[in-house]
Each structure stands twice: as C-alpha cells, then as structure tokens.
Amino acid sequence: MRTQGNLARHELIGLSVRVSRSPDPSVEGVEGRVVDETRNTLVLERADGRRAIRVPKAGCAFRFALPNGTFAELEGSFIAFRPEDRVKRCR
Amino acid sequence: MGERRQRRGRRSKDMARIASERVALLFGEAERAARQGRSALGDRYVSLARSIGMRYNIRLPPDLKRRACRECGRFLVPGKTLRVRFRAGRTVRTCLKCGNISREKLASRKPPAGL
C-alpha cells in the first residue's frame, strides 16, 4: 500500500500530483495525473484534456495525493531513477 | 532505519512486497487505460510491470499473467486484442496482434471469487 513513508519506492503512475516547486515557472503549480515515468521525468495529464506534459524531476518538488486521502511531498532529485530502479535505490 | 546486511543480489521482503504491489497496481492502470482505448499506454504498463517483476524476481499472479501476451507483451483485452474460445475441454486464447495462442485446461475450475 502506498504510504507517505514508502512513496519514493512505490508506483507513481495513476496518482494525482501537483508540481509544488520548479525552477521553470511555466511548470510550477501544474496539476495532473501521472501517466508515465522515465528516469528524469514524470509525464502528467491534465484534467481538461490538454496535451500531456513531461515534467523534469530535477529541481522540482511534487505533492502527491495518496489514495488514503493524505498527501506526500517528494523532492524530484530524490526520485530521479528509472521507475523499476526506484524500489531498490530510493531511501 | 537499521538495515541488516543483505546477501548480495538478494531482495528484501520489503522490496518484494512493494514490487508485487506495484505490479498489481500497474495492471489495474493498464485496464483503465484500455477502457479508454489507449492501448499503447496499457502495453507500456505491462512492460513496466514485467520489468519490475523480473528485477525483483516476483512471480506474477496467474490471473494477471493471462492479461498480457507472452509473445508480444501487449495488454490483452477480450474482444479487442484477444479471442477466447472453448475447444476440447480447454480455453484457447489467441492474441489478435501477434497470433500467439495459449491453451489452458478447463478442468474443474471454480469461478473467481465474487461471481
């Protein structure tokens, strides 16, 4: 089960997230669902069906909405690994 | 968090648990994507689930295994990418994308819980 403690190692795809901080102002504050993940990016889809955005993990902080109602903030640089690697390599 | 020294290459129970949870989650997302007609996304989730399963040496549960083609790795949707028939006491499942056929004996299987 995805909790605040283990989110860094768990599946991010399918979660709703907001970019809470980013060096790129056009990306900051963006909200969406995680649709895919790469080593360096998260791909989000926004509610109004606009084209999906690819947000770099580096330098950004993300606020994920967990299924149990709570939120978890993750620092992008801490999860900058391939999705399959994160189970092993993230704190 | 105190980590006991692990034998090289061995996964911990923790990692194994998270891995199998992720696999199940991904198949769920693949289903959701398929319902929206986004087959490419569903295929991608299957391939990710497979990588995770291989990486951490997790056995995929048989019901999830059947939802993906063993040959081409696509997410199978009965009616769209999968043809299911019964023949001679077996179920014959044909992947409509790559043509791979898998057969399973029906034997005395109980219906999945909830039916």
Side-chain angles (χ1 to χ4, degrees), chain B residues 3-4 7-8 22 28 32-33 38 41 47-48 50-51 55-58 63-64 66 74 80 84 94 98 101 107 114:
Chain B
E3 310 219 4
R4 275 192 344 233
R7 269 180 25 223
R8 258 172 69 94
R22 287 184 67 167
R32 231 163 292 162
R38 315 173 64 177
L41 215 42
S47 104
L48 231 196
R50 276 220 180 132
S51 310
R55 203 46 142 51
Y56 303 100
N57 211 15
I58 300 286
D63 53 326
L64 292 188
R66 283 184 209 115
R74 286 196 180 81
K80 293 227 156 66
V84 183
T94 311
C98 74
I101 296 187

mmCIF file of all heavy atoms in Angstrom, chain B residues 3-4 7-8 22 28 32-33 38 41 47-48 50-51 55-58 63-64 66 74 80 84 94 98 101 107 114:
data_model
loop_
_atom_site.group_PDB
_atom_site.id
_atom_site.type_symbol
_atom_site.label_atom_id
_atom_site.label_comp_id
_atom_site.label_asym_id
_atom_site.label_seq_id
_atom_site.Cartn_x
_atom_site.Cartn_y
_atom_site.Cartn_z
ATOM 1 N N GLU B 3 19.497 -1.232 8.746
ATOM 2 C CA GLU B 3 19.414 -2.236 7.688
ATOM 3 C C GLU B 3 20.402 -3.340 7.976
ATOM 4 O O GLU B 3 21.590 -3.113 8.078
ATOM 5 C CB GLU B 3 19.766 -1.603 6.340
ATOM 6 C CG GLU B 3 19.013 -0.334 6.082
ATOM 7 C CD GLU B 3 18.587 -0.231 4.631
ATOM 8 O OE1 GLU B 3 18.810 -1.181 3.874
ATOM 9 O OE2 GLU B 3 18.047 0.812 4.275
ATOM 10 N N ARG B 4 19.886 -4.563 8.119
ATOM 11 C CA ARG B 4 20.804 -5.688 8.295
ATOM 12 C C ARG B 4 21.536 -5.894 6.992
ATOM 13 O O ARG B 4 20.998 -5.665 5.924
ATOM 14 C CB ARG B 4 20.016 -6.911 8.670
ATOM 15 C CG ARG B 4 19.751 -6.990 10.145
ATOM 16 C CD ARG B 4 19.221 -8.347 10.468
ATOM 17 N NE ARG B 4 18.805 -8.968 9.226
ATOM 18 C CZ ARG B 4 17.611 -9.485 9.033
ATOM 19 N NH1 ARG B 4 16.751 -9.478 9.955
ATOM 20 N NH2 ARG B 4 17.276 -10.032 7.901
ATOM 21 N N ARG B 7 22.605 -10.385 1.774
ATOM 22 C CA ARG B 7 23.453 -11.100 0.827
ATOM 23 C C ARG B 7 23.368 -10.387 -0.499
ATOM 24 O O ARG B 7 22.321 -9.908 -0.874
ATOM 25 C CB ARG B 7 22.961 -12.531 0.694
ATOM 26 C CG ARG B 7 23.661 -13.406 1.674
ATOM 27 C CD ARG B 7 23.229 -14.846 1.616
ATOM 28 N NE ARG B 7 22.684 -15.291 0.373
ATOM 29 C CZ ARG B 7 21.583 -16.066 0.311
ATOM 30 N NH1 ARG B 7 20.953 -16.404 1.391
ATOM 31 N NH2 ARG B 7 21.140 -16.476 -0.858
ATOM 32 N N ARG B 8 24.459 -10.328 -1.192
ATOM 33 C CA ARG B 8 24.458 -9.600 -2.456
ATOM 34 C C ARG B 8 23.423 -10.158 -3.402
ATOM 35 O O ARG B 8 23.311 -11.342 -3.564
ATOM 36 C CB ARG B 8 25.846 -9.735 -3.104
ATOM 37 C CG ARG B 8 26.676 -8.514 -2.930
ATOM 38 C CD ARG B 8 28.063 -8.760 -3.410
ATOM 39 N NE ARG B 8 28.141 -8.926 -4.855
ATOM 40 C CZ ARG B 8 28.405 -7.937 -5.687
ATOM 41 N NH1 ARG B 8 28.588 -6.735 -5.226
ATOM 42 N NH2 ARG B 8 28.486 -8.163 -6.978
ATOM 43 N N ARG B 22 3.252 -2.976 -6.758
ATOM 44 C CA ARG B 22 3.350 -2.143 -7.955
ATOM 45 C C ARG B 22 2.881 -2.887 -9.190
ATOM 46 O O ARG B 22 2.235 -2.327 -10.062
ATOM 47 C CB ARG B 22 4.782 -1.664 -8.138
ATOM 48 C CG ARG B 22 5.157 -0.604 -7.152
ATOM 49 C CD ARG B 22 6.531 -0.080 -7.398
ATOM 50 N NE ARG B 22 6.618 0.649 -8.655
ATOM 51 C CZ ARG B 22 7.650 1.409 -8.972
ATOM 52 N NH1 ARG B 22 8.650 1.523 -8.139
ATOM 53 N NH2 ARG B 22 7.701 2.018 -10.128
ATOM 54 N N GLY B 28 -3.767 -2.820 -13.008
ATOM 55 C CA GLY B 28 -5.010 -2.078 -12.840
ATOM 56 C C GLY B 28 -5.049 -0.843 -13.728
ATOM 57 O O GLY B 28 -6.056 -0.545 -14.374
ATOM 58 N N ARG B 32 -7.497 0.296 -16.892
ATOM 59 C CA ARG B 32 -8.151 1.595 -17.001
ATOM 60 C C ARG B 32 -7.811 2.260 -18.329
ATOM 61 O O ARG B 32 -8.659 2.812 -19.000
ATOM 62 C CB ARG B 32 -7.706 2.482 -15.849
ATOM 63 C CG ARG B 32 -8.868 3.106 -15.113
ATOM 64 C CD ARG B 32 -8.447 3.611 -13.778
ATOM 65 N NE ARG B 32 -8.105 2.508 -12.899
ATOM 66 C CZ ARG B 32 -7.394 2.622 -11.791
ATOM 67 N NH1 ARG B 32 -6.926 3.796 -11.443
ATOM 68 N NH2 ARG B 32 -7.141 1.576 -11.046
ATOM 69 N N ALA B 33 -6.560 2.178 -18.704
ATOM 70 C CA ALA B 33 -6.152 2.794 -19.964
ATOM 71 C C ALA B 33 -6.836 2.104 -21.135
ATOM 72 O O ALA B 33 -7.286 2.751 -22.083
ATOM 73 C CB ALA B 33 -4.634 2.708 -20.121
ATOM 74 N N ARG B 38 -6.780 3.425 -24.884
ATOM 75 C CA ARG B 38 -5.384 3.801 -25.068
ATOM 76 C C ARG B 38 -4.502 2.569 -24.949
ATOM 77 O O ARG B 38 -3.888 2.315 -23.915
ATOM 78 C CB ARG B 38 -5.003 4.837 -24.034
ATOM 79 C CG ARG B 38 -6.094 5.888 -23.943
ATOM 80 C CD ARG B 38 -5.864 6.844 -22.836
ATOM 81 N NE ARG B 38 -4.664 7.586 -23.086
ATOM 82 C CZ ARG B 38 -4.233 8.559 -22.297
ATOM 83 N NH1 ARG B 38 -4.941 8.888 -21.240
ATOM 84 N NH2 ARG B 38 -3.124 9.189 -22.555
ATOM 85 N N LEU B 41 -0.689 2.853 -24.004
ATOM 86 C CA LEU B 41 -0.421 3.075 -22.580
ATOM 87 C C LEU B 41 -0.520 1.765 -21.815
ATOM 88 O O LEU B 41 0.326 1.444 -20.986
ATOM 89 C CB LEU B 41 -1.428 4.087 -22.053
ATOM 90 C CG LEU B 41 -0.955 5.061 -20.998
ATOM 91 C CD1 LEU B 41 0.408 5.584 -21.328
ATOM 92 C CD2 LEU B 41 -1.955 6.206 -20.919
ATOM 93 N N SER B 47 4.664 -3.688 -19.818
ATOM 94 C CA SER B 47 6.108 -3.879 -19.933
ATOM 95 C C SER B 47 6.814 -3.401 -18.671
ATOM 96 O O SER B 47 7.772 -4.020 -18.209
ATOM 97 C CB SER B 47 6.629 -3.181 -21.192
ATOM 98 O OG SER B 47 7.287 -1.998 -20.882
ATOM 99 N N LEU B 48 6.313 -2.329 -18.074
ATOM 100 C CA LEU B 48 6.889 -1.861 -16.811
ATOM 101 C C LEU B 48 6.679 -2.902 -15.723
ATOM 102 O O LEU B 48 7.594 -3.214 -14.956
ATOM 103 C CB LEU B 48 6.203 -0.561 -16.387
ATOM 104 C CG LEU B 48 7.078 0.608 -16.030
ATOM 105 C CD1 LEU B 48 6.268 1.646 -15.279
ATOM 106 C CD2 LEU B 48 8.273 0.211 -15.209
ATOM 107 N N ARG B 50 6.313 -6.048 -16.050
ATOM 108 C CA ARG B 50 7.205 -7.168 -16.315
ATOM 109 C C ARG B 50 8.622 -6.860 -15.852
ATOM 110 O O ARG B 50 9.284 -7.698 -15.243
ATOM 111 C CB ARG B 50 7.239 -7.471 -17.806
ATOM 112 C CG ARG B 50 6.145 -8.319 -18.264
ATOM 113 C CD ARG B 50 6.634 -9.325 -19.272
ATOM 114 N NE ARG B 50 5.525 -10.129 -19.690
ATOM 115 C CZ ARG B 50 5.232 -10.405 -20.950
ATOM 116 N NH1 ARG B 50 5.999 -9.920 -21.908
ATOM 117 N NH2 ARG B 50 4.197 -11.150 -21.243
ATOM 118 N N SER B 51 9.106 -5.658 -16.176
ATOM 119 C CA SER B 51 10.468 -5.289 -15.756
ATOM 120 C C SER B 51 10.589 -5.367 -14.256
ATOM 121 O O SER B 51 11.568 -5.895 -13.730
ATOM 122 C CB SER B 51 10.806 -3.863 -16.173
ATOM 123 O OG SER B 51 10.535 -3.654 -17.494
ATOM 124 N N ARG B 55 13.057 -7.792 -12.299
ATOM 125 C CA ARG B 55 14.084 -7.166 -11.487
ATOM 126 C C ARG B 55 14.112 -7.706 -10.081
ATOM 127 O O ARG B 55 15.145 -7.948 -9.489
ATOM 128 C CB ARG B 55 13.795 -5.687 -11.464
ATOM 129 C CG ARG B 55 14.847 -4.774 -11.190
ATOM 130 C CD ARG B 55 16.114 -5.027 -11.922
ATOM 131 N NE ARG B 55 16.715 -3.798 -12.303
ATOM 132 C CZ ARG B 55 16.918 -2.821 -11.462
ATOM 133 N NH1 ARG B 55 16.582 -2.937 -10.209
ATOM 134 N NH2 ARG B 55 17.443 -1.698 -11.885
ATOM 135 N N TYR B 56 12.946 -7.842 -9.490
ATOM 136 C CA TYR B 56 12.877 -8.251 -8.095
ATOM 137 C C TYR B 56 12.419 -9.682 -7.949
ATOM 138 O O TYR B 56 12.032 -10.104 -6.862
ATOM 139 C CB TYR B 56 11.988 -7.258 -7.331
ATOM 140 C CG TYR B 56 12.535 -5.863 -7.489
ATOM 141 C CD1 TYR B 56 11.981 -4.982 -8.411
ATOM 142 C CD2 TYR B 56 13.657 -5.457 -6.782
ATOM 143 C CE1 TYR B 56 12.535 -3.724 -8.601
ATOM 144 C CE2 TYR B 56 14.201 -4.207 -6.969
ATOM 145 C CZ TYR B 56 13.638 -3.341 -7.876
ATOM 146 O OH TYR B 56 14.187 -2.103 -8.067
ATOM 147 N N ASN B 57 12.445 -10.374 -9.051
ATOM 148 C CA ASN B 57 12.152 -11.798 -9.057
ATOM 149 C C ASN B 57 10.802 -12.129 -8.435
ATOM 150 O O ASN B 57 10.704 -12.986 -7.575
ATOM 151 C CB ASN B 57 13.262 -12.559 -8.327
ATOM 152 C CG ASN B 57 13.426 -13.929 -8.914
ATOM 153 O OD1 ASN B 57 12.918 -14.192 -9.995
ATOM 154 N ND2 ASN B 57 14.093 -14.809 -8.203
ATOM 155 N N ILE B 58 9.803 -11.398 -8.877
ATOM 156 C CA ILE B 58 8.448 -11.616 -8.364
ATOM 157 C C ILE B 58 7.673 -12.450 -9.362
ATOM 158 O O ILE B 58 7.709 -12.168 -10.554
ATOM 159 C CB ILE B 58 7.703 -10.272 -8.230
ATOM 160 C CG1 ILE B 58 8.440 -9.371 -7.281
ATOM 161 C CG2 ILE B 58 6.283 -10.464 -7.782
ATOM 162 C CD1 ILE B 58 8.284 -9.783 -5.875
ATOM 163 N N ASP B 63 -3.648 -14.818 -12.725
ATOM 164 C CA ASP B 63 -4.725 -14.069 -13.361
ATOM 165 C C ASP B 63 -4.191 -12.833 -14.058
ATOM 166 O O ASP B 63 -4.751 -12.400 -15.069
ATOM 167 C CB ASP B 63 -5.810 -13.715 -12.343
ATOM 168 C CG ASP B 63 -5.234 -13.009 -11.128
ATOM 169 O OD1 ASP B 63 -4.102 -13.340 -10.748
ATOM 170 O OD2 ASP B 63 -5.923 -12.150 -10.565
ATOM 171 N N LEU B 64 -3.125 -12.277 -13.576
ATOM 172 C CA LEU B 64 -2.541 -11.118 -14.261
ATOM 173 C C LEU B 64 -1.722 -11.560 -15.464
ATOM 174 O O LEU B 64 -1.701 -10.903 -16.500
ATOM 175 C CB LEU B 64 -1.657 -10.322 -13.306
ATOM 176 C CG LEU B 64 -2.379 -9.610 -12.182
ATOM 177 C CD1 LEU B 64 -1.419 -8.708 -11.432
ATOM 178 C CD2 LEU B 64 -3.535 -8.791 -12.711
ATOM 179 N N ARG B 66 -2.374 -13.805 -17.422
ATOM 180 C CA ARG B 66 -3.220 -14.093 -18.579
ATOM 181 C C ARG B 66 -3.647 -12.840 -19.308
ATOM 182 O O ARG B 66 -4.165 -12.908 -20.404
ATOM 183 C CB ARG B 66 -4.467 -14.852 -18.132
ATOM 184 C CG ARG B 66 -4.184 -16.283 -17.857
ATOM 185 C CD ARG B 66 -5.431 -17.048 -17.510
ATOM 186 N NE ARG B 66 -5.059 -18.138 -16.626
ATOM 187 C CZ ARG B 66 -5.449 -18.231 -15.372
ATOM 188 N NH1 ARG B 66 -6.243 -17.322 -14.864
ATOM 189 N NH2 ARG B 66 -5.046 -19.222 -14.637
ATOM 190 N N ARG B 74 1.763 -7.385 -25.303
ATOM 191 C CA ARG B 74 0.688 -6.405 -25.287
ATOM 192 C C ARG B 74 -0.341 -6.749 -24.221
ATOM 193 O O ARG B 74 -0.514 -7.902 -23.855
ATOM 194 C CB ARG B 74 0.004 -6.353 -26.648
ATOM 195 C CG ARG B 74 0.844 -5.667 -27.686
ATOM 196 C CD ARG B 74 -0.023 -5.300 -28.864
ATOM 197 N NE ARG B 74 0.701 -4.639 -29.908
ATOM 198 C CZ ARG B 74 1.442 -5.251 -30.817
ATOM 199 N NH1 ARG B 74 1.569 -6.565 -30.763
ATOM 200 N NH2 ARG B 74 2.060 -4.566 -31.744
ATOM 201 N N LYS B 80 -11.103 -7.100 -28.153
ATOM 202 C CA LYS B 80 -10.348 -6.155 -28.976
ATOM 203 C C LYS B 80 -9.011 -6.731 -29.420
ATOM 204 O O LYS B 80 -8.642 -6.673 -30.563
ATOM 205 C CB LYS B 80 -10.087 -4.881 -28.188
ATOM 206 C CG LYS B 80 -11.331 -4.094 -27.894
ATOM 207 C CD LYS B 80 -11.128 -2.629 -28.206
ATOM 208 C CE LYS B 80 -12.420 -1.911 -28.483
ATOM 209 N NZ LYS B 80 -13.312 -1.822 -27.331
ATOM 210 N N VAL B 84 -11.134 -15.419 -27.233
ATOM 211 C CA VAL B 84 -11.221 -16.544 -26.306
ATOM 212 C C VAL B 84 -12.244 -17.546 -26.814
ATOM 213 O O VAL B 84 -13.390 -17.195 -27.069
ATOM 214 C CB VAL B 84 -11.649 -16.054 -24.901
ATOM 215 C CG1 VAL B 84 -11.677 -17.210 -23.933
ATOM 216 C CG2 VAL B 84 -10.712 -14.973 -24.410
ATOM 217 N N THR B 94 -6.260 -16.489 -28.174
ATOM 218 C CA THR B 94 -5.448 -16.061 -29.311
ATOM 219 C C THR B 94 -5.182 -14.566 -29.232
ATOM 220 O O THR B 94 -6.108 -13.767 -29.195
ATOM 221 C CB THR B 94 -6.189 -16.348 -30.634
ATOM 222 O OG1 THR B 94 -6.669 -17.675 -30.625
ATOM 223 C CG2 THR B 94 -5.273 -16.134 -31.815
ATOM 224 N N CYS B 98 -0.313 -10.570 -32.429
ATOM 225 C CA CYS B 98 0.855 -11.320 -32.872
ATOM 226 C C CYS B 98 0.513 -12.755 -33.225
ATOM 227 O O CYS B 98 1.344 -13.488 -33.734
ATOM 228 C CB CYS B 98 1.940 -11.306 -31.814
ATOM 229 S SG CYS B 98 1.592 -12.373 -30.415
ATOM 230 N N ILE B 101 -0.898 -18.185 -29.483
ATOM 231 C CA ILE B 101 -2.034 -18.933 -28.933
ATOM 232 C C ILE B 101 -1.626 -19.599 -27.644
ATOM 233 O O ILE B 101 -0.585 -20.257 -27.583
ATOM 234 C CB ILE B 101 -2.514 -19.998 -29.934
ATOM 235 C CG1 ILE B 101 -3.033 -19.308 -31.190
ATOM 236 C CG2 ILE B 101 -3.566 -20.874 -29.311
ATOM 237 C CD1 ILE B 101 -3.678 -20.247 -32.156
ATOM 238 N N ALA B 107 -10.508 -28.105 -16.790
ATOM 239 C CA ALA B 107 -10.603 -28.995 -15.616
ATOM 240 C C ALA B 107 -11.745 -28.539 -14.732
ATOM 241 O O ALA B 107 -12.760 -28.096 -15.198
ATOM 242 C CB ALA B 107 -9.289 -29.023 -14.857
ATOM 243 N N GLY B 114 -16.367 -13.943 -6.041
ATOM 244 C CA GLY B 114 -17.181 -12.774 -6.358
ATOM 245 C C GLY B 114 -18.216 -13.050 -7.408
ATOM 246 O O GLY B 114 -19.121 -12.260 -7.625
#
